């Protein structure tokens, strides 16, 4: 099944692929990638602000990572860290 794509926006199928649907999906992904790029810039600006205010950005990133985890998982990691530090006499 093959249909020609028309420039007037008429729906067309080529090899069973709906061109309008495919175009819509691609354009949505492209818009979201642009939004992600803008958000990444905003996040970078916030970290720069934190650094200029005297905060340690590396530690802030660690805290953000910990906040994404389940409390039980964080507790387990902290317990293991303590055990390993004591084993190494740190």
């Amino acid at each position: 099944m093959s249909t020609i794509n028309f420039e007037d926006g008429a729906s067309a199928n080529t090899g069973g692929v709906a061109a309008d649907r495919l175009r819509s999906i691609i354009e949505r992904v492209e818009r979201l990638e642009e939004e992600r790029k803008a958000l990444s810039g905003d996040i970078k600006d916030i970290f720069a602000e934190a650094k200029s205010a005297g905060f340690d950005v590396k530690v802030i990133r660690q805290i953000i990572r910990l906040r994404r985890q389940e409390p039980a998982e964080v507790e387990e990691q902290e317990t293991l860290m303590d055990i390993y530090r004591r084993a190494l006499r740190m």
Side-chain angles (χ1 to χ4, degrees), residues 35-49:
E35 289 178 29
R36 179 172 44 189
K37 185 178 177 182
L39 289 172
S40 292
D42 292 346
I43 291 169
K44 182 179 177 182
D45 292 344
I46 292 169
F47 280 122
E49 177 185 339

Side-chain angles (χ1 to χ4, degrees), residues 4 15 28 58 67 73 75 79 83 89:
I4 298 173
R28 286 170 38 209
K58 195 174 185 179
R67 288 170 53 110
E73 187 179 339
E75 186 177 339
T79 300
I83 292 169
R89 291 183 167 86

Side-chain angles (χ1 to χ4, degrees), residues 10-82:
S11 191
N13 288 329
T14 305
V17 176
D20 290 340
R21 179 76 172 137
L22 178 60
R23 184 178 301 107
S24 171
I25 290 169
I26 290 170
E27 288 172 352
R28 286 170 38 209
V29 170
E30 288 171 340
R31 277 194 305 276
L32 290 172
E33 286 176 345
E34 284 299 315
E35 289 178 29
R36 179 172 44 189
K37 185 178 177 182
L39 289 172
S40 292
D42 292 346
I43 291 169
K44 182 179 177 182
D45 292 344
I46 292 169
F47 280 122
E49 177 185 339
K51 185 175 182 177
S52 69
F55 293 106
D56 187 323
V57 172
K58 195 174 185 179
V59 173
I60 291 174
R61 288 183 189 277
Q62 290 174 341
I63 291 171
I64 292 169
R65 187 174 59 247
L66 287 172
R67 288 170 53 110
R68 288 184 190 141
Q69 297 175 349
E70 294 295 322
E73 187 179 339
V74 173
E75 186 177 339
E76 180 182 344
Q77 288 177 359
E78 288 175 351
T79 300
L80 285 172
M81 181 70 82
D82 288 340

